Amino acid sequence: MNKPTLVYHADWGSKPSKRWCATATLSTDGRYTVSGPTPVGELTVLLKNLRDVAEEPGTVFAGFDFPIGVPAHYAKRAGISSFRDFLPKFGSGVWKNFYTVCDTKDEIAIYRAFYPNGGYTGRRKADLFQGHGVSSIEPLLRRCDRGGNGQRQACCLFWTLGGNQVGKAALIGWRDVLAPALQDGTNVRLWPFDGSLDSLFKPGYVVIVETYPAECYGWFSDRPLGRKSDPENRKKFSALLSDWAGINDVIIEDGLSKEMRDGFLTGNDDAFDAVVGLFGMLRVCLGQRLSGEPDDPLIQDVEGWILGRHGISVADGVGDGCM
């Protein structure tokens, strides 16, 4: 695999204060130097800034911790045969209200799929199911969301309540980062929609992937992380990342090294996950982890995949993991 010039990972949230990032730059001697974490900053210039750092003809490898793709059941109802081609259409025409989360259950529709906007009072997942014409959560999960093989099930894309909800963050990422990048005709590629990962690492390209930092914990340790909110747990896990970096000739800048030793007291678990996800991406860059996407047209065209997640059967992991 060709090594990207700049590797970037963002732990994503619906609020700017919850969006943190970390980067790794490739030197002329073939080694990566890791820096960060820092706030993500202004979204409208995010990819442009990454291109500027990588310089021509460098390759940017950017990972974002939000879903990139839609469930196959929803795509069929909405007439979406290619998520990549359809993404720029959201927010205009019949899709003009797509980015507005539904306030009431009666507003849930194909063209306005996310619910609810507000607190829990009077809001039920059963209303979301009814609005999407299903009787359970399974049809509203992408295959990579379903868990199984020891992997935890992710939350339903369209449900927007709870600590592990991803819907509102995805809407911001799609509207403010991905859709504008695809509309301006630049060399932006979405994995796995535009091809296998190694085929996308070409000079001048920005290659965007979906990440899940919790997926990466087990890549560096065979023990559970524990409460991520505890700085001591973050400190212990960071020591494993430092060990891995030393073995693999990855350089950690002094500022990041201090954050890791202190347990990420600046930015807390959001900054921690930004760095963990970046180290996971570096494992893929160094050939220590396969990208993992199954050879399935629905996944490659519609649903997408979480970087590094091992393929699972459709029957695996059908419980309801949304809180």
Side-chain angles (χ1 to χ4, degrees), residues 217 225-234 263-265 268-270 272:
Y217 298 155
L225 172 67
R227 286 190 302 113
K228 185 174 58 175
S229 59
D230 186 341
E232 288 301 315
N233 288 335
R234 300 197 296 260
F264 291 90
L265 300 181
N268 300 313
D269 54 350
D270 300 310
F272 170 74

Side-chain angles (χ1 to χ4, degrees), residues 85-93 95-96 99 179 183:
D85 293 343
F86 222 87
L87 182 56
K89 299 179 182 180
F90 293 145
S92 63
W95 297 92
K96 63 182 180 180
Y99 289 115
Q183 287 170 331

Side-chain angles (χ1 to χ4, degrees), residues 117-198:
N117 187 28
Y120 277 101
T121 304
R123 272 73 176 224
R124 305 178 306 158
K125 271 182 273 185
D127 297 327
L128 180 73
F129 301 162
Q130 182 177 358
H132 281 277
V134 300
S135 59
S136 66
I137 196 72
E138 285 83 8
L140 300 184
L141 294 173
R142 300 177 302 156
R143 185 169 163 189
C144 62
D145 295 330
R146 296 186 177 188
N149 291 347
Q151 299 162 331
R152 184 181 178 185
Q153 179 181 294
C155 190
C156 167
L157 169 66
F158 301 123
W159 180 251
T160 58
L161 286 180
N164 64 339
Q165 68 90 12
V166 294
K168 290 183 178 180
L171 288 176
I172 292 170
W174 296 0
R175 182 192 66 199
D176 297 340
V177 180
L178 300 190
L182 296 177
Q183 287 170 331
D184 70 10
T186 55
N187 288 331
V188 172
R189 297 294 182 267
L190 293 187
W191 172 86
F193 307 98
D194 288 320
S196 63
L197 191 61
D198 57 349

Side-chain angles (χ1 to χ4, degrees), residues 20-319:
W20 285 75
C21 63
T23 60
T25 54
L26 184 67
S27 63
T28 55
D29 63 6
R31 295 191 297 172
Y32 280 107
T33 298
V34 186
S35 60
T38 60
V40 166
E42 177 58 47
L43 302 186
T44 58
V45 294
L46 174 58
L47 295 184
K48 177 186 180 300
N49 290 342
L50 295 182
R51 286 195 191 93
D52 290 344
V53 173
E55 299 181 343
E56 289 294 343
T59 304
V60 176
F61 184 29
F64 294 95
D65 178 25
F66 58 76
I68 302 177
V70 294
H73 177 273
Y74 171 77
K76 184 176 181 179
R77 295 183 69 220
I80 299 174
S81 59
S82 168
F83 174 77
R84 188 205 194 282
D85 293 343
F86 222 87
L87 182 56
K89 299 179 182 180
F90 293 145
S92 63
V94 296
W95 297 92
K96 63 182 180 180
N97 295 318
F98 180 79
Y99 289 115
T100 303
V101 178
C102 296
D103 292 304
T104 68
K105 62 182 181 180
D106 296 330
E107 294 172 331
I108 303 171
I110 290 176
Y111 301 121
R112 194 173 172 190
F114 293 76
Y115 174 82
N117 187 28
Y120 277 101
T121 304
R123 272 73 176 224
R124 305 178 306 158
K125 271 182 273 185
D127 297 327
L128 180 73
F129 301 162
Q130 182 177 358
H132 281 277
V134 300
S135 59
S136 66
I137 196 72
E138 285 83 8
L140 300 184
L141 294 173
R142 300 177 302 156
R143 185 169 163 189
C144 62
D145 295 330
R146 296 186 177 188
N149 291 347
Q151 299 162 331
R152 184 181 178 185
Q153 179 181 294
C155 190
C156 167
L157 169 66
F158 301 123
W159 180 251
T160 58
L161 286 180
N164 64 339
Q165 68 90 12
V166 294
K168 290 183 178 180
L171 288 176
I172 292 170
W174 296 0
R175 182 192 66 199
D176 297 340
V177 180
L178 300 190
L182 296 177
Q183 287 170 331
D184 70 10
T186 55
N187 288 331
V188 172
R189 297 294 182 267
L190 293 187
W191 172 86
F193 307 98
D194 288 320
S196 63
L197 191 61
D198 57 349
S199 72
L200 300 180
F201 287 153
K202 296 179 179 179
Y205 278 15
V206 176
V207 181
I208 296 175
V209 301
E210 175 184 345
T211 63
Y212 185 31
E215 176 76 25
C216 303
Y217 298 155
W219 303 1
F220 297 94
S221 175
D222 57 2
R223 295 183 180 182
L225 172 67
R227 286 190 302 113
K228 185 174 58 175
S229 59
D230 186 341
E232 288 301 315
N233 288 335
R234 300 197 296 260
K235 188 184 303 183
K236 292 176 182 176
F237 193 86
S238 294
L240 299 176
L241 298 181
S242 295
D243 291 343
W244 177 86
I247 293 170
N248 291 278
D249 216 14
V250 172
I251 302 168
I252 300 176
E253 286 193 343
D254 291 343
L256 174 56
S257 183
K258 184 179 186 303
E259 287 286 346
M260 295 169 73
R261 290 194 305 269
D262 293 343
F264 291 90
L265 300 181
T266 303
N268 300 313
D269 54 350
D270 300 310
F272 170 74
D273 270 347
V275 172
V276 171
L278 178 67
F279 272 79
M281 293 175 70
L282 288 176
R283 289 203 71 147
V284 175
C285 291
L286 297 179
Q288 297 180 3
R289 185 85 183 185
L290 296 176
S291 54
E293 76 280 14
D295 184 14
D296 184 320
L298 272 178
I299 287 169
Q300 295 168 358
D301 295 336
V302 172
E303 291 199 333
W305 197 255
I306 297 169
L307 182 69
R309 171 157 282 199
H310 289 156
I312 52 180
S313 70
V314 175
D316 285 337
V318 294

